[in-house]
């Protein structure tokens, strides 16, 4: 049966004007959304997918942005078909939040930090529905129950900073659902979440869709997520739609080279590759800016990159024959909480709780687990950025826990860290050239600043940036470029050991693939040893020789990365693996069959 059409986007053009040029962020795109349908809009940062969502919501900032062409026909439940481009702001306010709702990418910046979560959801109900505050509060608590928030009454009175990332995202979903909208727009709602929390949020959105028969426009850079959620897929590149079709068609037979690239650059779980394919492996542009068609399929490209079992075993024989470079013995890091009147702790959080393992020279050891499992605290404790409560950290035979501050500062030249958020780890007032030179000056590397500058330029080129970037500031770069800058800064001290703390979690899958390939290339070139921390088990599996799975401060299991993935021993690890969006054809078929059976019910 043909479903009722909710939204028709016809030849939409959204432009942003600057002093130098006019950029068509959305350039002549068309698609439709029906009731009960999920359309996935996918592409890298800058492809125009978020601008498309903001155009539908009429939230494009003017100036500098403006919808300059096309129609956005919304079939309202009260007004009938209306062109969102042409209606007044007052009419749009009646629709926005009421009939068309949006979940934004970063819930922390979308929620007001000075109001409780309950008050913020109540505000939307009071604005669009003629009910009393008592009724609005009851509906808010019911919504919190519907989105499966624990202790809904307590969260009603909590401020955003007092709840976890997954809980904040559920509050945003409750707010979006408060007026039972016809259309829900979700802009990267699961990007920075753990795979288990992400799986729960996706299931929740599908449950709410079934109950309220709404259309969902789901925006993401991750085709794995799209595979589990969407009915139709729209692939965007530089403001244009390059391919659209059913989810099965796009995954089984992608036509456009850009789509092939996006499908290929996510780390595969069923094989181990020397390096990840990137979008550039499938598409090249000529001097006119036109794309050359790639005739290769995704499987043809990846099959050439597969690491044989013998290659891997030979490499492991070499590295595990050496003495460990790092030995962790019974390490504990506890944080006191609920301090009493005289500052005495009533309780402690055992962030790292009696952890022991070795790391060998040339190895990449993966640390994986959900938020709060202790993996980041463990990484920072190894560097003594967080002081351990007890235990030993032995690096190249030296017990780091016994060193004074001067000796520790000297040792930190050999152990570096690449942080999760490159923007907050770079000084916004310092050029990137100076940011990379500064640790070299502190540790007296090279004889003068002229030699250091030459070395920094070499490092920038090594991480695929150029000499002119030396004089620029962090805000002038994309997220992927800033991460490369942080990698160059870590390399500047010529360390033996690097801890990568969620260093690719916020990047597009295509940029993520480039950064992961770069880290592996640098490891081979400079003989580094890595601890690679991530909540994304597919990324950890690709990068790691061995894997440590953490849960509540303890090690759940530890061993060969492939062995843990193929034969997990604990229920916790099995749950982590089952939550990964795999994007395999059999999973898509199962997902479609599940949706159809639920619709019949």
């Amino acid at each position: 049966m043909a479903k009722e059409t909710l939204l028709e986007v016809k030849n939409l053009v959204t432009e942003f004007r600057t002093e130098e040029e006019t950029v068509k962020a959305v350039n002549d795109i068309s698609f439709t959304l029906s009731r009960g349908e999920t359309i996935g809009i996918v592409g890298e940062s800058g492809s125009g997918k978020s601008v498309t969502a903001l155009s539908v919501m009429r939230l494009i900032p003017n100036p500098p942005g403006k919808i300059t062409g096309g129609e956005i026909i919304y079939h309202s439940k009260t007004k009938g078909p209306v062109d969102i481009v042409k209606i007044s702001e007052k009419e749009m306010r009646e629709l926005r939040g009421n009939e068309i709702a949006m979940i934004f990418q970063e819930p922390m910046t979308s929620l007001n930090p000075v109001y409780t979560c309950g008050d913020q959801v109540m505000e939307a109900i009071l604005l669009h529905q003629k009910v009393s505050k008592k009724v609005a509060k009851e509906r808010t608590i019911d919504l919190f129950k519907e989105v499966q928030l624990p202790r809904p009454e307590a969260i009603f009175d909590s401020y955003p900073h007092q709840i976890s990332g997954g809980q904040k995202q559920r509050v945003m979903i409750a707010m979006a659902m408060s007026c039972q909208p016809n259309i829900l727009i979700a802009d990267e709602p699961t990007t920075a979440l753990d795979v288990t929390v992400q799986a729960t949020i996706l299931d929740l959105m599908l449950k709410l869709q079934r109950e309220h028969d709404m259309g969902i426009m789901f925006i993401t850079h991750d085709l794995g997520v799209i595979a589990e959620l969407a009915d139709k897929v729209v692939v965007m590149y530089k403001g244009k739609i390059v391919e659209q079709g059913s989810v099965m068609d796009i995954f089984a037979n992608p036509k456009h080279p850009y789509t092939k690239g996006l499908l290929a650059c996510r780390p595969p779980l069923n094989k181990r590759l020397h390096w990840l394919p990137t979008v550039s492996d499938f598409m090249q542009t000529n001097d006119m800016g036109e794309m050359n068609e790639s005739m290769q399929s995704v499987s043809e490209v990846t099959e050439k990159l597969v690491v044989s079992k013998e290659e891997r075993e030979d490499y492991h024989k070499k590295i595990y024959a050496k003495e460990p470079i790092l030995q962790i013995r019974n390490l504990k890091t506890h944080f006191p909480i609920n301090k009493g009147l005289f500052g005495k702790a009533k309780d402690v959080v055992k962030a790292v709780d009696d952890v022991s393992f070795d790391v060998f020279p040339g190895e990449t050891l993966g640390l994986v687990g959900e938020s709060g499992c202790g993996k980041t605290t463990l990484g920072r404790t190894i560097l003594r950025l967080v002081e351990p409560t007890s235990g030993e950290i032995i690096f190249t035979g030296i017990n780091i826990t016994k060193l004074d501050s001067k000796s520790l500062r000297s040792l930190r030249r050999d152990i570096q860290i690449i942080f999760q958020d490159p923007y907050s780890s770079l000084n916004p007032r310092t050029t990137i050239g100076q940011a990379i030179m500064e640790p070299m000056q502190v540790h007296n590397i090279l004889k003068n600043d002229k030699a250091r500058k030459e070395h920094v330029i070499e490092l920038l080129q090594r991480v695929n940036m150029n000499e002119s970037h030396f004089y620029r500031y962090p805000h002038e770069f994309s997220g992927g470029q800033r991460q490369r800058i942080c990698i160059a800064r870590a390399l500047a001290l010529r360390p033996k050991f690097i801890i990568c703390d969620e260093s690719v979690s916020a990047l597009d899958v295509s940029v993520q693939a480039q950064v992961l390939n770069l880290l592996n290339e640098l490891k081979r070139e400079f003989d580094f040893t890595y601890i690679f921390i991530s909540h994304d088990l597919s990324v950890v599996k690709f990068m790691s020789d061995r894997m440590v799975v953490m849960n509540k401060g303890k090690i759940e299991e530890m061993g060969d990365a492939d062995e843990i993935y193929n034969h997990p021993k604990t229920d916790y690890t099995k749950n982590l693996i089952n939550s990964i969006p795999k994007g395999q054809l059999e999973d898509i078929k199962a997902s479609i069959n599940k949706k159809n059976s639920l619709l019949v019910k």
Side-chain angles (χ1 to χ4, degrees):
M1 286 176 62
K3 291 193 173 183
E4 175 194 346
T5 300
L6 289 177
L7 188 73
E8 299 171 87
V9 175
K10 300 177 180 178
N11 308 111
L12 179 66
V13 179
T14 304
E15 297 181 348
F16 287 84
R17 291 189 176 91
T18 66
E19 290 179 7
E20 293 83 24
E21 61 178 338
T22 298
V23 176
K24 288 186 178 180
V26 171
N27 189 1
D28 193 25
I29 69 165
S30 301
F31 62 87
T32 60
L33 175 67
S34 301
R35 186 173 291 283
E37 181 181 58
T38 300
I39 186 167
I41 301 181
V42 69
E44 298 169 283
S45 293
S47 64
K49 56 190 190 298
S50 291
V51 176
T52 300
L54 293 172
S55 299
V56 171
M57 291 292 285
R58 271 270 296 273
L59 289 174
I60 298 293
N62 183 12
K66 190 178 181 184
I67 297 171
T68 59
E71 300 173 299
I72 304 171
I73 308 298
Y74 166 61
H75 295 260
S76 168
K77 52 189 172 187
T78 55
K79 301 175 187 297
V82 293
D83 187 351
I84 284 172
V85 177
K86 293 178 180 172
I87 60 175
S88 68
E89 182 55 35
K90 184 185 176 199
E91 289 174 296
M92 189 64 217
R93 271 200 303 271
E94 289 172 10
L95 297 177
R96 193 189 294 129
N98 188 21
E99 295 194 33
I100 308 174
M102 185 164 179
I103 306 166
F104 293 93
Q105 181 170 359
E106 179 42 72
M108 194 64 215
T109 55
S110 305
L111 292 169
N112 191 324
V114 299
Y115 289 98
T116 65
C117 297
D119 281 340
Q120 295 184 62
V121 178
M122 268 181 66
E123 183 184 20
I125 295 170
L126 292 169
L127 183 65
H128 292 291
Q129 300 175 36
K130 293 177 181 177
V131 296
S132 66
K133 283 191 174 181
K134 183 184 176 186
V135 171
K137 181 174 181 178
E138 288 170 358
R139 285 191 187 173
T140 299
I141 290 172
D142 286 343
L143 281 164
F144 283 177
K145 289 175 183 173
E146 192 175 1
V147 298
Q148 298 164 22
L149 275 166
R151 302 172 295 105
E153 288 84 1
I155 286 180
F156 183 94
D157 295 318
S158 300
Y159 290 89
H161 72 273
Q162 295 176 306
I163 60 178
S164 72
Q167 288 172 342
K168 282 194 277 280
Q169 201 59 284
R170 287 166 197 245
V171 170
M172 288 296 298
I173 293 172
M175 192 186 298
M177 294 301 301
S178 61
C179 298
Q180 297 188 2
N182 272 342
I183 297 174
L184 179 65
I185 301 172
D187 186 7
E188 301 268 16
T190 60
T191 297
L193 301 179
D194 296 336
V195 284
T196 47
V197 179
Q198 173 179 272
T200 308
I201 295 289
L202 296 179
D203 284 344
L204 172 62
M205 289 179 70
L206 287 172
K207 172 179 171 285
L208 294 171
Q209 182 183 41
R210 288 196 305 274
E211 289 172 0
H212 302 284
D213 200 23
M214 62 185 176
I216 294 178
M217 190 189 302
F218 194 95
I219 293 162
T220 183
H221 62 259
D222 189 344
L223 274 161
V225 171
I226 288 290
E228 302 205 348
L229 191 73
D231 303 298
K232 288 194 309 194
V233 182
V234 169
V235 182
M236 291 190 70
Y237 176 70
K238 293 187 176 178
K240 288 182 173 287
I241 293 176
V242 293
E243 186 166 2
Q244 64 176 306
S246 74
V247 66
M248 200 66 199
D249 287 344
I250 295 293
F251 277 78
N253 189 24
K255 300 281 194 303
H256 197 276
Y258 182 69
T259 312
K260 293 177 185 177
L262 286 180
L263 284 167
C265 59
R266 183 163 176 81
L269 289 160
N270 57 349
K271 62 188 85 168
R272 182 170 285 272
L273 305 182
H274 285 286
W275 67 85
L276 292 173
T278 61
V279 170
S280 60
D281 291 321
F282 292 87
M283 55 187 281
Q284 279 85 34
T285 53
N286 58 27
D287 294 337
M288 303 294 290
E290 299 164 334
M291 274 176 286
N292 297 322
E293 185 77 23
S294 170
M295 301 310 292
Q296 294 187 97
S297 69
V298 173
S299 58
E300 283 173 336
V301 171
T302 54
E303 285 305 317
K304 297 172 188 173
L305 304 174
V306 173
V307 179
S308 71
K309 188 180 178 183
E310 292 73 27
E311 283 179 275
R312 197 155 182 268
E313 286 174 354
D314 286 347
Y315 179 67
H316 284 174
K317 277 178 188 172
K318 289 176 189 172
I319 60 174
Y320 297 132
K322 301 174 186 175
E323 287 295 312
I325 189 171
L326 180 73
Q327 296 166 286
I328 306 295
R329 296 288 176 264
N330 308 109
L331 190 64
K332 297 180 182 179
T333 306
H334 297 173
F335 297 108
I337 55 170
N338 300 329
K339 290 188 177 181
L341 185 63
F342 300 104
K344 188 176 179 181
K346 295 179 181 177
D347 202 357
V348 294
V349 172
K350 296 178 179 179
V352 178
D353 191 15
D354 198 20
V355 166
S356 300
F357 59 86
D358 294 337
V359 187
F360 293 83
E363 179 182 31
T364 298
L365 182 78
L367 275 182
V368 69
E370 298 172 291
S371 291
C373 71
K375 58 189 186 296
T376 291
T377 303
L378 175 57
R380 293 179 181 223
T381 304
I382 290 168
L383 278 163
R384 270 188 60 192
L385 296 173
V386 173
E387 287 297 328
T389 305
S390 64
E392 294 182 325
I393 306 163
I394 301 162
F395 178 72
T396 60
I398 301 165
N399 190 346
I400 294 175
T401 58
K402 307 290 186 192
L403 295 181
D404 58 34
S405 57
K406 186 180 177 184
S407 303
L408 184 62
R409 195 178 302 118
S410 175
L411 187 78
R412 282 200 179 127
R413 173 179 168 173
D414 291 330
I415 312 179
Q416 286 292 294
I417 185 166
I418 302 167
F419 292 100
Q420 177 173 0
D421 182 359
Y423 194 64
S424 62
S425 60
L426 291 167
N427 187 331
R429 297 182 179 182
T430 303
T431 64
I432 66 150
Q434 186 54 46
I436 298 169
M437 271 177 65
E438 187 178 21
M440 296 171 71
Q441 292 165 336
V442 169
H443 290 278
N444 294 315
I445 292 174
L446 301 179
K447 56 186 177 182
N448 55 42
D449 280 351
K450 184 185 176 187
R452 291 181 190 118
K453 181 182 174 182
E454 288 172 0
H455 184 57
V456 169
I457 289 168
E458 285 174 20
L459 286 173
L460 286 172
Q461 290 169 339
R462 188 64 200 79
V463 297
N464 302 325
M465 299 187 73
N466 60 54
E467 185 176 342
S468 66
H469 293 149
F470 184 95
Y471 303 99
R472 294 189 189 174
Y473 290 86
H475 72 272
E476 297 180 77
F477 297 95
S478 70
Q481 287 174 317
R482 283 197 285 266
Q483 199 59 282
R484 290 168 190 272
I485 292 161
C486 290
I487 291 169
R489 185 174 58 179
L491 295 179
L493 295 179
R494 301 168 181 168
K496 297 175 184 173
F497 196 104
I498 297 178
I499 297 171
C500 303
D501 183 10
E502 298 272 16
S503 53
V504 295
S505 63
L507 302 178
D508 289 341
V509 283
S510 54
V511 179
Q512 174 182 280
Q514 293 167 19
V515 172
L516 293 176
N517 288 342
L518 175 64
L519 288 169
N520 278 335
E521 200 178 311
L522 293 169
K523 177 186 168 184
R524 287 190 292 269
E525 188 175 329
F526 297 104
D527 197 27
F528 290 140
T529 304
Y530 288 138
I531 285 182
F532 193 91
I533 300 169
S534 179
H535 63 258
D536 188 336
L537 200 141
S538 62
V539 170
V540 171
K541 178 183 174 293
F542 168 72
M543 289 294 291
S544 305
D545 299 294
R546 285 185 306 141
M547 193 190 296
V548 173
V549 182
M550 287 191 70
N551 180 25
K552 296 179 181 175
K554 291 183 177 290
I555 292 176
E556 274 290 317
E557 58 183 299
M558 175 169 55
D560 181 84
D562 289 1
E563 181 64 23
I564 285 180
Y565 175 75
N566 292 320
H567 306 287
K569 292 185 173 63
T570 69
D571 290 340
Y572 178 80
T573 310
K574 288 173 186 173
N575 188 36
L576 273 183
I577 292 166
N578 291 335
S579 300
I580 302 168
K582 298 174 180 66
Q584 304 294 326
L585 293 179
E586 55 270 25
D587 296 318
I588 297 168
K589 286 176 186 171
S591 180
I592 292 168
N593 291 335
K594 182 182 173 185
K595 282 182 202 171
N596 291 338
S597 65
L598 288 166
L599 286 171
V600 169
K601 289 178 187 177

